[in-house]
Every structure is written in structure tokens, then in C-alpha cells.
Amino acid sequence: MSVSFDAYKMFYYVGKYKNITRAAAALFLSQSTVSRGIQSLEFSFGCRLFERTQQGVAFTAEGKALYEYVAEGCELIFRGEELVQQMTGSSLRIGVSDFAYSLFVIPVLEEFHRSYPSVKLEIVSKGFNSYASVFESLLSGRTDVACVAVATPEKLSNDAVEIIPAATYSDVVVAGNRFSELKGRDYSLAELSGYPFASLVTGSTPNSYLDKIFRTNGIQIAPEFKTDSMEMFLSIIRQGQCLAIIPALFGLTREEQLFEVRLKTPLPIHDINILTVKSAPRNDVKNAFIRQLNTYIRSKTEQGTRAPGA
């Protein structure tokens, strides 16, 4: 019996989704093409593999038995295809937070794409709510390279992941001239807790970096402005209607209507790291992206940060 891999692939996706329409969409084929593929496979075996239901399709006993083997074979082939793509550098999946993406990755992508126009790039940002999730994304193969910023005391560690230090930066408190009374001396966080703050909330957690900083110092704070958009967060800050804790490398204090509020105790220093799996193939494309990203991060932080405690 001679059955093409395309027929088994159609069978796999129909079995996976229990729906011919969804399978056709995943395969970029018409619904009629997938239906004919399943009918051809059923003719070859001389039995029905699916029964129609109100929701889509369901396995027959024969279909269920066959699917166990076909699914294993297809998934192995798909993983093999992904591995070859990684080895040849025809694709690159980049895991980043909104912060790292807007500040570091976007500027690098344009130059990188000019050098490697045929490389398929995929940006993964969902699910990067913790450093454990970053490791999971890399080790599961969902991403090839990640870029994260971590407060120095927290330190990343995983024996299977290569952590490439790129740079460090400090945080600052900024305010608009509406709060000019805060100029000229050093303040504690407790003294600032009564002022309106803007907060960037990422992921599914209701707490933010701002909340964490104040809680660490035993202070409760209720931010007046909360947003999960980096663009909106920066827009709110530029309006000068509130205070905010931001990376010094944003350079916002160079704007006329904003200034840095000096603190008695400096805020934490952050490490910016580039991560990749040690055992994963390292091709020219991945190496070039890591090199370009590392170079850009270093230049960006050198231009925008101040010395700790300065």
C-alpha cells in the first residue's frame, strides 16, 4: 500500500483539531482538498477513519489506533524540520519583554534584516512574566534567543542556558515641572509615596515593578495611572502629570519638562542579559543576531545611563 506523507499530514491535522475547516486553515489548503485527502486515505485502508459530528469529526476505532502512530511520526518530522531550520539559520525566534523589544530589539532588527533578508523572524513576547518562564520558553524550543533585564540581586541561573551579560543600567525617579518643589534635595521613597505615580503593569499579575520597589521598603502605594502599554506609559510620563520609576537609559530627564528626583538610597541596578540554550545549534544567523544585539545594548546603555549613585 502506497500512501503519501501529505495524506498522513492531513489526517494528523484533522485528528488534532477534530475539525476539517481548522485543519485546512493550518495547512493553507482548501477544505475540499483536505476532505479528498481523508477520503483517499480511507479508501486505501478500506475503512472509515472519522465520523462526522455536530462540532466537526470524531475518530472511529480504526482512526484512533492509526492516529497514535501517525501523530508520533509527524511530530518527530516537524521537530526535525525545525532543527534543520535552526542549523541552517533560515528562521530565528526571539523572546523579549515589551521593554526589551521597544528599547533594544526593534532598532537591531532593521540592520539585521538588511544583512539576512531571507531569514524568517518570529517575536515571542507572551508568557514572559517571570524568569522561570523565560527558561521554559528556551528549553522547550519556543524561542531560540531571549533578552531580559533582571535586578542584580535576583541573578539568573540555569545549567542548560548560556547567559551572556550585555550591560547594566540604573533606575531613576522622574517628575514633571508641576512637582518643582522636589528639586534640590534628596528624598526617601517614603517621602515620595504620597505623590501620584504612573505604573507599567506587565503580564497577568496586578502588581508592577513600582509596587515591588515600594513593598521592599515596607511602603504601600496606590499608583494613580496604570497601563500595560509601554508606549502609553512613556506618553503619560512625558505629560509630567505624575512621578514614575524608569530606566535612566530612557534619557527622559533630558527633556525640558522633566527632571530626576534625587533619592537618598539608589534604586536597584539591573543586568541586561542575552540567553540561549547551550546545547542548541549555533549558526551564523543566531551568532550574528546575538552579536548585533549585544553591541547595540552596550552602546545604548553607555549613552543613556549614569554611574550608580552619581
Side-chain angles (χ1 to χ4, degrees):
M1 183 175 65
S2 176
V3 177
S4 71
F5 176 65
D6 284 343
Y8 281 125
K9 194 173 180 180
M10 293 179 201
F11 173 73
Y12 167 76
Y13 277 100
V14 173
K16 179 180 180 179
Y17 293 118
K18 305 294 190 300
N19 186 288
I20 291 176
T21 302
R22 289 186 63 191
L27 290 163
F28 299 98
L29 297 172
S30 67
Q31 186 174 341
S32 60
T33 298
V34 174
S35 295
R36 286 195 301 269
I38 297 301
Q39 290 168 5
S40 174
L41 192 61
E42 290 177 330
F43 179 80
S44 297
F45 280 102
C47 65
R48 298 290 300 276
L49 300 173
F50 293 105
E51 299 286 356
R52 290 193 174 274
T53 67
Q54 290 184 343
Q55 290 75 32
V57 297
F59 286 121
T60 62
E62 294 83 356
K64 184 177 181 180
L66 178 63
Y67 184 78
E68 292 181 12
Y69 293 93
V70 171
E72 183 177 356
C74 283
E75 287 163 7
L76 282 171
I77 291 171
F78 298 156
R79 286 199 293 271
E81 289 176 342
E82 289 180 1
L83 180 60
V84 172
Q85 287 178 334
Q86 292 175 31
M87 293 175 70
T88 59
S90 59
S91 68
L92 186 66
R93 293 163 297 184
I94 305 161
V96 287
S97 63
D98 287 344
F99 161 70
Y101 180 64
S102 60
L103 201 61
F104 303 127
V105 176
I106 285 180
V108 170
L109 288 181
E110 183 177 355
E111 178 188 349
F112 181 79
H113 187 64
R114 283 198 300 268
S115 302
Y116 299 91
S118 63
V119 174
K120 178 184 176 183
L121 296 173
E122 180 181 349
I123 307 299
V124 180
S125 59
K126 291 185 178 179
F128 279 64
N129 301 329
S130 67
Y131 302 119
S133 66
V134 176
F135 289 137
E136 188 279 329
S137 179
L138 287 164
L139 294 172
S140 68
R142 191 161 62 96
T143 53
D144 304 311
V145 179
C147 180
V148 297
V150 54
T152 302
E154 296 179 54
K155 291 295 182 186
L156 297 176
S157 178
N158 189 298
D159 291 340
V161 175
E162 179 182 2
I163 300 172
I164 304 165
T168 61
Y169 69 87
S170 58
D171 284 326
V172 294
V173 176
V174 296
N177 285 332
R178 169 189 170 189
F179 306 100
S180 57
E181 72 275 11
L182 295 176
K183 294 180 179 179
R185 74 175 182 89
D186 298 348
Y187 291 86
S188 67
L189 288 177
E191 291 174 297
L192 298 177
S193 62
Y195 283 86
F197 270 85
S199 174
L200 180 66
V201 181
T202 58
S204 58
T205 174
N207 296 319
S208 66
Y209 176 66
L210 175 76
D211 300 314
K212 182 178 180 180
I213 288 293
F214 276 90
R215 283 201 315 273
T216 301
N217 288 271
I219 306 164
Q220 287 190 335
I221 188 170
E224 188 164 318
F225 301 92
K226 279 190 176 185
T227 177
D228 60 359
S229 163
M230 175 65 72
E231 184 177 349
M232 189 174 295
F233 177 62
L234 294 178
S235 175
I236 291 170
I237 295 170
R238 287 189 170 98
Q239 291 173 14
Q241 299 301 307
C242 57
L243 279 62
I245 294 178
I246 63 169
L249 53 86
F250 278 156
L252 292 184
T253 52
R254 296 170 187 160
E255 300 184 11
E256 282 186 19
Q257 303 302 315
L258 297 174
F259 65 93
E260 178 183 345
V261 180
R262 300 196 325 242
L263 296 177
K264 293 177 180 178
T265 303
L267 293 170
I269 302 297
H270 295 263
D271 294 328
I272 306 170
N273 299 301
I274 302 169
L275 289 71
T276 188
V277 177
K278 292 178 181 177
S279 61
R282 289 287 289 268
N283 52 61
D284 290 343
V285 169
K286 184 191 289 187
N287 288 338
F289 178 78
I290 291 174
R291 184 170 58 252
Q292 289 181 17
L293 182 60
N294 200 343
T295 299
Y296 182 81
I297 291 172
R298 289 178 182 277
S299 66
K300 180 73 175 178
T301 52
E302 286 170 3
Q303 292 169 12
T305 58
R306 60 183 174 82

